[in-house]
Each structure stands twice: as structure tokens, then as C-alpha cells.
Amino acid sequence: MEASVIFWLFAAAFGASALGGVLGMASGIFIVPILTLLFGVDIHVAIGASIISVIACSCGSAGPFLKGRLTNVRLAIVLETATTLGALTGVFLIGIVSTGFLYGLFAAILALSAQQMLARRREAAQAGTPDAASWATALRLHSSFPDRALGREVHYQVGRVPLGLSLMYGAGLISALLGIGSGVLKIPAMDAALRLPIKVSSATSNFMIGVTAAASAGAYFVRGDIDIGIAGPVALGSVAGALLGARLLLGLPADKLRIFFVIVLALLAVQMLLSALGVSIPGGPA
Amino acid sequence: MSAAPDKQARRDRGIAALLWYGTWAASACIAIGMALGLVPSSGGGQGMGLYGYRFVQAGVALFILLPVARVALMLAIFLRERDYAYTAISAFVLLIIAAGVVSGLH
């Protein structure tokens, strides 16, 4: 591979990852379209490279969230049982399903996520006394985080864990199939089922993405399905971009972040639907 | 109850440190490999050259291992805190990841 191609892979990953970091989602959702449309890379190679960059982004940006005590570590490991099981299922399925189906699935997931984000614009977090009989209480998941804007500790309850686990299984499955972090599925799942404060759900989702992606990436790596020459520069660019994006995220207001989230998801959904239907994008490779 | 956030904060800082330094190590490996690939001389070869390729490959492998190491660290922390429910949950996650890798070998 030429040095200029390696540079552009790095640069594209950097840009995509900085944007993804601002949105609180892994850059895989941008990496796959960039690699297939701009670089003419095979979709399976793109998925393999993307899943590495997804891990890199998650690990590289986890620090500030953990130090700010925004990440609910207990909740993360509980939900990771479901996301990794989903990823394992995806590893078995990826050899069976067709590429067109994957694109269509991608579009459907994006549209669903955009719709969910649009429908729920307010904080879903619950206050009050925890339900003593709930899974969340038994697993000691209720927690608190220091809200810098309010200048005090905010306590929150964790909602329906069984529903959260089933949604997370789906998120893990999609993550392995499409090479994305599935932040677009994890964050709505955390809002709708678990009813977490937005900052907690973003931080915890980001934290889980690395382990979820590692479950499928480990299998793809030993299979030899990961193109090192593409995955390397993309991962490096992604880390650099994620560090920049994570810094921006901590200062951004949640409302504006959500509106931006919806617009990007809708645009990506249209683009993926076109790909599923076999419509070529002008300027892309023939 | 008041001691809980302190314990949590200390545990979270340990995990943050692992992920932060691990990210640096993996990124450095990839960067070194890419830099070795930029040095021409050996000429004609497929881009990075063997040494460069090995470095990038090691960096990619390190990235995949990093979240796994994070779960292993959490397992150790929960075990030290005698939190057996969460020790079992962490072990289960590791087992699932191992199952994926083993399936890839066949």
C-alpha cells in the first residue's frame, strides 16, 4: 500500500472519529461507508477495520468519563454479558447473510434510532425510592454522578434491566455484523429501558462498546479476516479523533447534542438504504 | 454509604489508567510500524515491509486484548472486594469472548 493511501486512511478515520466522539457514538458507523465508498474497500474488509477502530475509540475516550464518575461500571459489566453473547451470534451469522441484507439492516437500525431520539427529548432519569423487587436493586445498580452544571451529586435509579439486556443482545449482534459500536442502539436502549441520565448512558455505552467489539474482533482476528494494512492506520486515526471528540462532549448541552444526533442518523439511514437498493452514489467507485 | 463513592472512584481510576496506557501502547506500536513502512529503501515490497507489518499487527492485537484485560482487571477488583456475584458476571463475559476466539480458530 502506498504511503499516501495510508495517510488518507488515517485522516479519514481522524475526522470520522472526532465527529463520532462529539455524538457519543463510535466512529464505525462512518468508517464502513468511508472505506467502501471513498476507498473502494470490500465491505467485509471495511467491517474488520472498523471493528478495531471501534475498540480503539472506546478505550481511548473512556478515561475522562471514568474519572468524572459518569460511567456506571457495574451496569456496564451486567449488560456486557448480553452484548458479548450478541456479538458471538453475529460472528456465526456474518458468513451466512448477504451484503444487501446487511445494508438494509443498517438503514433500518439508523432510522429506528433517529426516530427514538426524536421522540424522547427529555431526561428519562427517575428519582424517588427504588423498587425493592427489581433486578437493578438486587444487583446494586442504582448510583449517582457529580453534575458539574448543578454543582452537586445527582442520584439516579436504573430501570427495567431484563428489557435492557434483550436490547443489548441485539446491539451486540448488530455490532458484530456491521462492524459498528452500536452506540446508536445502546444509547436509545439505555434511555428507553434503563432510563438513565443522558451523560451516564453516553459514558456507560461508550465503555461497553470496547468489550462488545473485542468479542467479535477476537474471532475475526484469529480467522485472518482483518486487513492489518487498513485496520492499523484507521485505528490510529480513530484514537486521535476520539480524544478530541471526548473533550468536546463533556462541555456540550444534551439537548443540542440530541438534535444533531437525529439529523446525522437520518442522513446515514438514507445513504445506507440507497446502498441496499444498489443505487450508486455519484463520485463513488463504479 | 459515604465510603462507597471513594471506593468506586479509586476502582474507576484504576480501570481508566489501564485503558489509557493500553491505548498509548497499542497506538505507539501501530505508529512505529507505519513509520517503518514509510522508510523506502527495501523497495518494491508490499508497502509496510515485514517489520512494519509485525508492529502494526501487534498494535491491532493489543487493541483487541485491551477491553479483555479491562474485564480481567474488574474481575480481580470484584474478587478482592469479595463481591462474588460480580466476580461471576465478569468471568462469564470473559468466557463468552474466549468462546468467540476458539470458534474462530476452527
Side-chain angles (χ1 to χ4, degrees), chain A residues 1 3 6 55-56 59-60 62 73-74 80-81 84 88 139-141 207 210-211 214 219 222-223 228-229 232 236 239, chain B residues 12 16 19-20 23 27 30 34 38 47-48 53 56-57 63-64 67 70-71 74 83 86 89 92-93 96 100-101 104:
Chain A
M1 195 180 301
I6 292 175
I55 298 174
C59 293
V73 170
R74 280 174 183 275
E80 277 160 9
T81 59
T84 49
L88 197 59
L139 288 164
R140 292 161 288 140
L141 293 177
F207 187 68
V211 171
V222 295
R223 274 188 198 170
I228 299 299
L236 194 61
V239 175
Chain B
D12 290 1
L19 293 176
W20 180 248
T23 300
S27 303
I30 293 173
M34 281 165 62
L38 289 180
M48 302 186 186
Y53 181 87
V56 178
Q57 191 180 37
F63 264 130
I64 298 173
R70 186 267 277 176
V71 178
M74 283 169 66
D83 191 338
Y86 274 89
I89 292 170
F92 184 55
V93 172
I96 296 167
V101 172

